[in-house]
Amino acid sequence: MDRTERDGSMETDVVVVGTGGAALTAAILARDQGADVLVVERSDKVGGTTAVSGGVIWIPLNHHMAELGVADSRAEALAYCKRLAAGRAADDVVETFVDVGHQMVRYLEEHDAARFAVWPTPDDYGELEGGKPSGRSLEPQLFSTRRLGEWADTLRPAPMFPLPLTMTEAYVLLTAPEKFSMDVVTQRTTDGMVGCGRALVGWLLQACLDRGVSVVLQTRARQLVREGERIVGLRAEQNGRDVLVRARRGVVLACGGYEWNEALTTRFLPGPITHPLSPPFNEGDGLLMAMEIGADLANMDEALWIPAGMVPGETYEGRQLSRFLATEKNGAHAIVVNRYGRRFANEGLPHKGMGYAQRYFDPHPTVYDYPNLPAWAIFDAQYREKQPILTVMPGAPAPAWITRDETLEGLARQVGIDPAGLRVTVDRWNVFARNGKDEDYRRGESPIEKFGGNVRDGRPNLGAIEKPPFYALPVRAGALGTSGGPRTNVKGQVLSVSGDVIPGLYAAGTVAASPTGRAYYGNGGAIGPAMTWGYICGINAGREG
């Protein structure tokens, strides 16, 4: 819908920047408050990072938990969330997430804006006080793109989740491909069905369109417009020209993080992001606009770290595509080592925890570097017979980008690992595997590892690396996004460096300081809080004025 006036400007009540889960949720709720809503998106596709993700949301106290017979309580959720936030998020913000997140889920379902089902995965740290064995992670139900009409082609492609599957089904395909029939995939593709993040965005986009929300693509927000103390709109770049977008009630920033902006990541993060897994449009546009008008910043040294892999030559939006690692790093018959040939963490840690371990900086003068970057996944023929490696399925010939050798020492020399160190590590690991206990890092003992591992005889994730040939795959410094940005209050309002509310400005999702601090609570631990704050921002921005 063309909202451009004769002078090249646009006007609305609420303008939302971005089209991911946080942005579209904000647009829905602002519209439901009676506001005229305009969504502006930098790229020519809808969905942002949400669309390329698994689409899972982590929400405590959600009403679907009852379907599994799992009880939850506010006290348990707060104990768990505050422990993992580690003091990096204000108590009232954490409490707001726990109290509002489940309301958001129920509201979207009751107002035909989304459909969810439980993905029965444990919390990332389910062994801690308040952790749950399942129920807090919800996945979107499949969505038919035929409902979107001409907008179907704008739904952002998802190279890591391209098939029309739920996460539950995708997990079966990943861990036990022989149990899955591809006939289902073929029929769903013919029917225009999508799953995971694309399904979630599809539901939300359809809800926006049904409500008359205007969505304008290829419009890049560049600068917030201020009159007195109040934000009254923004300037954007559209088709090479400057466009003024006036907002009578408020501006909601929900346009992603800054992981693709090397200048910003170098300035703020404690370690490198060499292989982001998000669309390459996340260059910190919202962060820069907020900084320009004096917004306070928080959590700037945090990101959604994840160990990543890549298939050389595989691209997305003209950039190298990176993929998350799953069984490649912690399946049976696989370990991860650094340049010294040593393991440096429990490979089954939740992905953010493993990311922290990768970015450890050793200040000793003989090192003074990140000793765990680069790192390599080491596995043997037993692994190759049963588990995938990125896009290479079990039993398929190993491509040239997976280094192979008949001996561990030869493998180490090929990739630049200390051969003696690798031999000592693998010999030690093999003893652990045969005895059924990892005495160094207790791998395979946590609930989340048992869910994702190869459980045999009570020994999940363990298996000797002993059958040649041996293989090595680089483990890259990846991230799903950043976690720092303008600080917000419990209403989603952006705060100034003096702690005052900046009237008319809201922020949600990875553009903002994470309401979870340093925590990633479980599968969906980014999108759940993002959509919760989108819900909060939409309500409050929609009611302004």
Short mmCIF file of all heavy atoms in Angstrom, two decimals, residues 330-354:
data_model
loop_
_atom_site.label_atom_id
_atom_site.label_comp_id
_atom_site.label_asym_id
_atom_site.label_seq_id
_atom_site.Cartn_x
_atom_site.Cartn_y
_atom_site.Cartn_z
N ASN A 330 28.73 -32.34 19.30
CA ASN A 330 28.53 -33.13 20.53
C ASN A 330 27.81 -34.45 20.31
O ASN A 330 27.32 -35.06 21.25
CB ASN A 330 27.77 -32.30 21.58
CG ASN A 330 26.32 -32.06 21.20
OD1 ASN A 330 26.02 -31.82 20.05
ND2 ASN A 330 25.43 -32.11 22.18
N GLY A 331 27.76 -34.92 19.05
CA GLY A 331 27.23 -36.25 18.83
C GLY A 331 28.23 -37.30 19.28
O GLY A 331 29.40 -37.02 19.53
N ALA A 332 27.73 -38.53 19.40
CA ALA A 332 28.64 -39.62 19.75
C ALA A 332 29.76 -39.69 18.72
O ALA A 332 29.55 -39.45 17.54
CB ALA A 332 27.87 -40.94 19.80
N HIS A 333 30.98 -39.99 19.19
CA HIS A 333 32.17 -40.11 18.35
C HIS A 333 32.64 -38.76 17.81
O HIS A 333 33.28 -38.71 16.75
CB HIS A 333 31.94 -41.09 17.19
CG HIS A 333 31.30 -42.39 17.60
ND1 HIS A 333 31.97 -43.33 18.35
CD2 HIS A 333 30.06 -42.87 17.38
CE1 HIS A 333 31.16 -44.35 18.57
NE2 HIS A 333 30.00 -44.10 18.00
N ALA A 334 32.34 -37.66 18.53
CA ALA A 334 32.79 -36.33 18.10
C ALA A 334 33.18 -35.51 19.32
O ALA A 334 32.54 -35.59 20.38
CB ALA A 334 31.70 -35.62 17.31
N ILE A 335 34.22 -34.70 19.18
CA ILE A 335 34.63 -33.74 20.20
C ILE A 335 35.04 -32.46 19.49
O ILE A 335 35.18 -32.42 18.27
CB ILE A 335 35.81 -34.26 21.06
CG1 ILE A 335 37.03 -34.59 20.18
CG2 ILE A 335 35.39 -35.46 21.91
CD1 ILE A 335 38.28 -34.96 20.97
N VAL A 336 35.27 -31.40 20.27
CA VAL A 336 35.77 -30.13 19.73
C VAL A 336 37.08 -29.80 20.45
O VAL A 336 37.15 -29.87 21.68
CB VAL A 336 34.76 -28.99 19.93
CG1 VAL A 336 35.35 -27.65 19.48
CG2 VAL A 336 33.48 -29.28 19.14
N VAL A 337 38.10 -29.44 19.66
CA VAL A 337 39.41 -29.12 20.24
C VAL A 337 39.90 -27.79 19.69
O VAL A 337 39.43 -27.30 18.65
CB VAL A 337 40.45 -30.22 19.92
CG1 VAL A 337 39.99 -31.56 20.45
CG2 VAL A 337 40.72 -30.30 18.42
N ASN A 338 40.90 -27.21 20.39
CA ASN A 338 41.52 -25.97 19.92
C ASN A 338 42.82 -26.30 19.19
O ASN A 338 43.13 -27.46 18.90
CB ASN A 338 41.74 -25.01 21.08
CG ASN A 338 42.64 -25.59 22.17
OD1 ASN A 338 43.39 -26.55 21.95
ND2 ASN A 338 42.57 -25.02 23.36
N ARG A 339 43.60 -25.26 18.91
CA ARG A 339 44.83 -25.45 18.12
C ARG A 339 45.85 -26.32 18.84
O ARG A 339 46.75 -26.89 18.21
CB ARG A 339 45.45 -24.08 17.84
CG ARG A 339 46.05 -23.40 19.05
CD ARG A 339 46.45 -21.97 18.81
NE ARG A 339 45.30 -21.08 18.71
CZ ARG A 339 45.38 -19.75 18.75
NH1 ARG A 339 46.57 -19.18 18.86
NH2 ARG A 339 44.31 -19.02 18.68
N TYR A 340 45.72 -26.45 20.17
CA TYR A 340 46.63 -27.29 20.93
C TYR A 340 46.16 -28.74 20.98
O TYR A 340 46.80 -29.59 21.62
CB TYR A 340 46.79 -26.75 22.35
CG TYR A 340 47.19 -25.29 22.39
CD1 TYR A 340 46.28 -24.32 22.77
CD2 TYR A 340 48.47 -24.90 22.01
CE1 TYR A 340 46.64 -22.98 22.79
CE2 TYR A 340 48.84 -23.55 22.02
CZ TYR A 340 47.92 -22.60 22.41
OH TYR A 340 48.27 -21.27 22.41
N GLY A 341 45.04 -29.01 20.34
CA GLY A 341 44.49 -30.36 20.35
C GLY A 341 43.72 -30.68 21.61
O GLY A 341 43.40 -31.84 21.86
N ARG A 342 43.40 -29.66 22.41
CA ARG A 342 42.74 -29.88 23.70
C ARG A 342 41.26 -29.53 23.64
O ARG A 342 40.86 -28.55 22.99
CB ARG A 342 43.39 -29.01 24.78
CG ARG A 342 44.87 -29.25 24.98
CD ARG A 342 45.44 -28.19 25.90
NE ARG A 342 46.90 -28.25 25.97
CZ ARG A 342 47.68 -27.21 26.26
NH1 ARG A 342 47.12 -26.03 26.52
NH2 ARG A 342 48.99 -27.35 26.29
N ARG A 343 40.45 -30.30 24.32
CA ARG A 343 39.07 -29.89 24.57
C ARG A 343 39.10 -28.71 25.54
O ARG A 343 39.96 -28.64 26.42
CB ARG A 343 38.27 -31.03 25.20
CG ARG A 343 38.08 -32.24 24.30
CD ARG A 343 37.40 -33.37 25.07
NE ARG A 343 36.02 -33.04 25.41
CZ ARG A 343 35.39 -33.49 26.49
NH1 ARG A 343 36.02 -34.26 27.38
NH2 ARG A 343 34.13 -33.16 26.71
N PHE A 344 38.17 -27.79 25.38
CA PHE A 344 38.17 -26.61 26.25
C PHE A 344 36.82 -26.35 26.90
O PHE A 344 36.65 -25.36 27.63
CB PHE A 344 38.61 -25.37 25.46
CG PHE A 344 37.83 -25.13 24.20
CD1 PHE A 344 36.65 -24.39 24.21
CD2 PHE A 344 38.27 -25.65 22.99
CE1 PHE A 344 35.94 -24.16 23.05
CE2 PHE A 344 37.56 -25.42 21.81
CZ PHE A 344 36.38 -24.67 21.84
N ALA A 345 35.84 -27.22 26.67
CA ALA A 345 34.51 -27.06 27.27
C ALA A 345 33.72 -28.33 27.03
O ALA A 345 34.11 -29.20 26.26
CB ALA A 345 33.78 -25.87 26.63
N ASN A 346 32.59 -28.42 27.69
CA ASN A 346 31.61 -29.45 27.41
C ASN A 346 30.96 -29.10 26.07
O ASN A 346 30.24 -28.10 25.97
CB ASN A 346 30.57 -29.49 28.53
CG ASN A 346 29.46 -30.49 28.27
OD1 ASN A 346 29.32 -31.03 27.18
ND2 ASN A 346 28.64 -30.72 29.29
N GLU A 347 31.19 -29.91 25.07
CA GLU A 347 30.67 -29.63 23.73
C GLU A 347 29.15 -29.62 23.68
O GLU A 347 28.55 -29.09 22.73
CB GLU A 347 31.19 -30.65 22.72
CG GLU A 347 32.69 -30.66 22.55
CD GLU A 347 33.41 -31.61 23.49
OE1 GLU A 347 32.80 -32.02 24.52
OE2 GLU A 347 34.57 -31.96 23.20
N GLY A 348 28.52 -30.19 24.69
CA GLY A 348 27.06 -30.22 24.74
C GLY A 348 26.45 -29.03 25.45
O GLY A 348 25.22 -28.99 25.63
N LEU A 349 27.27 -28.06 25.85
CA LEU A 349 26.72 -26.86 26.46
C LEU A 349 25.70 -26.21 25.54
O LEU A 349 25.81 -26.29 24.31
CB LEU A 349 27.83 -25.85 26.73
CG LEU A 349 28.73 -26.05 27.95
CD1 LEU A 349 29.88 -25.05 27.90
CD2 LEU A 349 27.93 -25.88 29.24
N PRO A 350 24.68 -25.54 26.09
CA PRO A 350 23.83 -24.71 25.24
C PRO A 350 24.70 -23.80 24.39
O PRO A 350 25.78 -23.39 24.80
CB PRO A 350 22.99 -23.93 26.24
CG PRO A 350 22.93 -24.82 27.45
CD PRO A 350 24.28 -25.47 27.50
N HIS A 351 24.19 -23.46 23.19
CA HIS A 351 25.07 -22.82 22.21
C HIS A 351 25.70 -21.53 22.71
O HIS A 351 26.85 -21.22 22.39
CB HIS A 351 24.35 -22.60 20.89
CG HIS A 351 23.08 -21.81 20.96
ND1 HIS A 351 23.05 -20.46 21.22
CD2 HIS A 351 21.79 -22.18 20.76
CE1 HIS A 351 21.81 -20.04 21.18
NE2 HIS A 351 21.02 -21.04 20.91
N LYS A 352 24.99 -20.76 23.55
CA LYS A 352 25.60 -19.53 24.04
C LYS A 352 26.75 -19.83 25.00
O LYS A 352 27.78 -19.16 24.98
CB LYS A 352 24.56 -18.64 24.72
CG LYS A 352 25.09 -17.25 25.03
CD LYS A 352 24.02 -16.30 25.51
CE LYS A 352 24.62 -14.93 25.75
NZ LYS A 352 23.62 -13.96 26.27
N GLY A 353 26.59 -20.88 25.81
CA GLY A 353 27.67 -21.26 26.71
C GLY A 353 28.91 -21.70 25.97
O GLY A 353 30.03 -21.35 26.34
N MET A 354 28.73 -22.48 24.91
CA MET A 354 29.87 -22.89 24.10
C MET A 354 30.52 -21.69 23.43
O MET A 354 31.74 -21.61 23.27
CB MET A 354 29.41 -23.90 23.04
CG MET A 354 30.54 -24.57 22.28
SD MET A 354 31.54 -25.64 23.32
CE MET A 354 32.65 -26.34 22.10
#
